[in-house]
């Protein structure tokens, strides 16, 4: 029986592409590429369950993926999204699975001319070349607009049953999703944190800092009150209770280290502060300075509880003396 590996991320395009190949009697095996910035595993499993196919989830190590983001061969999109390099990493994982299964080709849900980085004809052809599977990358949604692939010319699949979709229109894909009983997302790459320009700027600044890569947790760059001290210290302030809670969770997720400090208000409503990369002596005046910018202390005697997981301190907030 003819076998194929289909890239799934939980989006409707990928699921419909896999279903179109399934209807031709080809055995389909799903593969999801889940990074710390695009945790698609659960959504991909839903698609695989609907398609009734097995799914392999590949998760690159966070540090290795940060290295890919720091030095992308094919550049960035609007944020810190190295879409070409990420796509190539996905295809490399698919080729490895393809070889293991002794399958014949790879299937993706890419659409020619869709409003996403890397879906121009030249980019599609370039990815196929760099992945090392010339002629064995099938894109069922736009196949009739692209050069016939080897599975088509060898008679493994019928080209006439594939589609000629171009651009960002969704009507035909939605109709096919209903026909196949698929409920995948239509957000596509928008689910990846890296496509957000503001998030991307914060992350790219961190990538050239002296902070250890293992400390660059994705949640750090969702906090907007984001202040650097040179290139080795990061101060984060919560803007509301939700962000305060998230800073507390990030503190717990980070390793125990004297330069990772959490400051929480004692007996008053104010921002939680997470300091990463600075000693207590360096962080204390910077935390106080950032809070003064926010109007704290509002009352005499307001204090913060500071911790680095091994030591605890109480810090009294002092109003700036008038000049």
């Amino acid at each position: 029986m003819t076998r194929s590996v289909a890239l799934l991320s939980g989006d409707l395009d990928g699921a419909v592409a896999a279903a179109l190949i399934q209807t031709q009697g080809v055995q389909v095996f799903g593969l999801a590429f889940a990074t710390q910035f695009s945790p698609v595993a659960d959504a991909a499993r839903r698609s695989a369950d609907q398609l009734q196919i097995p799914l392999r989830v590949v998760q690159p190590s966070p540090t290795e993926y940060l290295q890919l983001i720091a030095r992308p061969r094919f550049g960035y999109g609007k944020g810190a999204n190295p879409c070409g390099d990420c796509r190539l990493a996905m295809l490399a994982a698919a080729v490895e699975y393809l070889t293991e299964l002794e399958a014949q080709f790879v299937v993706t849900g890419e659409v020619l001319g869709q409003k996403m980085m890397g879906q121009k004809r030249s980019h599609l052809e370039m990815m196929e070349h760099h992945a090392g599977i010339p002629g064995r990358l099938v894109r069922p949604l736009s196949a009739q607009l692209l050069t016939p692939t080897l599975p088509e010319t060898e008679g493994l699949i019928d080209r006439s049953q594939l589609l000629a979709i171009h651009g960002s229109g969704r009507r035909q894909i939605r109709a096919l999703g209903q026909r196949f009983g698929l409920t995948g997302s239509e957000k596509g790459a928008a689910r990846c944190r890296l496509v957000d320009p503001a998030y991307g700027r914060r992350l790219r600044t961190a990538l050239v800092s002296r902070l250890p890569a293992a400390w660059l947790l994705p949640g750090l760059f969702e906090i907007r009150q984001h202040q650097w001290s040179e290139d080795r210290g990061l101060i984060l302030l919560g803007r509301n209770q939700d962000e305060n809670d998230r800073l507390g969770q990030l503190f717990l997720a980070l390793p125990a280290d004297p330069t990772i400090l959490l400051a929480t208000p004692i007996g008053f409503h104010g921002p939680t502060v997470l300091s990463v990369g600075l000693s207590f002596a360096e962080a204390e005046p910077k935390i106080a300075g950032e809070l003064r910018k926010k109007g704290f202390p509002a009352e005499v005697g307001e204090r913060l509880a500071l911790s680095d997981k091994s030591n605890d301190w109480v810090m009294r907030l002092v109003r700036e003396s008038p000049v």
Side-chain angles (χ1 to χ4, degrees):
M1 183 182 228
T2 301
R3 291 179 164 188
S4 67
V5 172
L7 290 180
L8 297 177
S9 63
D11 70 288
L12 192 59
D13 297 24
V16 168
L20 287 168
I21 296 300
Q22 259 190 323
T23 60
Q24 297 203 33
V26 174
Q27 190 174 11
V28 177
F29 294 79
L31 183 137
F33 190 78
T35 75
Q36 67 265 45
F37 300 102
S38 183
V40 301
D42 290 343
R45 287 189 186 99
R46 285 193 292 273
S47 292
D49 289 344
Q50 291 173 351
L51 292 162
Q52 298 183 358
I53 63 172
L55 178 73
R56 170 176 289 187
V57 177
V58 174
Q59 294 177 295
S61 81
T63 301
E64 288 178 0
Y65 196 69
L66 284 171
Q67 290 173 351
L68 182 150
I69 297 169
R71 293 181 291 276
R73 182 179 179 184
F74 299 107
Y76 297 107
K78 291 182 178 180
N81 47 315
C83 293
D85 296 78
C86 188
R87 196 67 177 175
L88 200 54
M90 292 181 198
L91 290 172
V95 171
E96 183 176 339
Y97 196 23
L98 182 89
T99 303
E100 180 183 321
L101 294 169
E102 298 183 350
Q104 283 72 43
F105 58 96
V106 174
V107 179
T108 76
E110 292 164 298
V111 173
L112 182 65
Q114 200 173 65
K115 292 180 181 179
M116 289 171 60
M117 182 182 176
Q119 292 194 341
K120 298 178 181 179
R121 185 184 298 272
S122 59
H123 288 159
L124 296 179
E125 293 172 350
M126 180 177 64
M127 286 296 106
E128 183 176 332
H129 169 74
H130 286 293
I133 48 171
R136 299 208 174 271
L137 182 53
V138 178
R139 301 171 171 102
L141 302 180
S142 295
Q144 292 190 29
L145 301 175
L146 300 170
T147 303
T149 60
L150 291 174
E152 295 166 71
T153 59
E154 292 171 356
L156 298 178
I157 54 175
D158 183 354
R159 180 178 175 86
S160 69
Q161 294 184 43
L162 304 179
L163 307 180
I165 299 175
H166 183 279
S168 58
R170 308 294 306 165
R171 183 177 300 176
Q172 190 173 1
I173 295 172
R174 287 175 187 151
L176 286 166
Q178 291 179 348
R179 171 185 156 192
F180 293 128
L182 302 171
T183 57
S185 167
E186 295 192 36
K187 292 183 179 179
R191 286 182 299 159
C192 176
R193 292 179 173 105
L194 299 176
V195 303
D196 176 8
Y199 184 99
R201 284 192 297 272
R202 293 190 285 267
L203 174 60
R204 289 172 69 175
T205 300
L207 288 172
V208 296
S209 75
R210 286 186 276 170
L211 291 181
W215 294 8
L216 304 184
L217 303 182
L220 292 176
F221 310 103
E222 294 177 347
I223 306 299
R224 295 185 184 180
Q225 297 287 343
H226 201 93
Q227 301 295 329
W228 281 95
S229 177
E230 299 175 351
D231 64 347
R232 62 184 181 85
L234 178 59
I235 304 286
L236 300 148
L237 281 79
R239 296 177 303 151
N240 50 47
Q241 190 57 50
D242 176 62
E243 287 195 356
N244 284 351
D245 292 342
R246 282 193 277 161
L247 287 172
Q249 293 165 4
L250 287 165
F251 175 68
L252 294 175
L254 286 162
D257 188 277
T259 66
I260 297 176
L261 303 164
L262 186 72
T264 54
I266 300 176
F268 71 96
H269 295 291
T272 292
V273 184
L274 179 63
S275 173
V276 182
L278 299 174
S279 68
F280 175 80
E282 294 171 314
E284 185 180 27
K286 294 186 181 299
I287 291 172
E290 290 300 324
L291 288 174
R292 276 197 293 270
K293 293 177 186 177
K294 303 298 179 186
F296 296 97
E299 302 290 340
V300 174
E302 290 180 344
R303 298 177 299 162
L304 294 175
L306 278 81
S307 175
D308 66 1
K309 295 186 182 176
S310 297
N311 301 286
D312 298 296
W313 303 270
V314 173
M315 171 181 161
R316 185 179 296 275
L317 295 175
V318 179
R319 294 180 180 177
E320 193 167 18
S321 301
V323 178

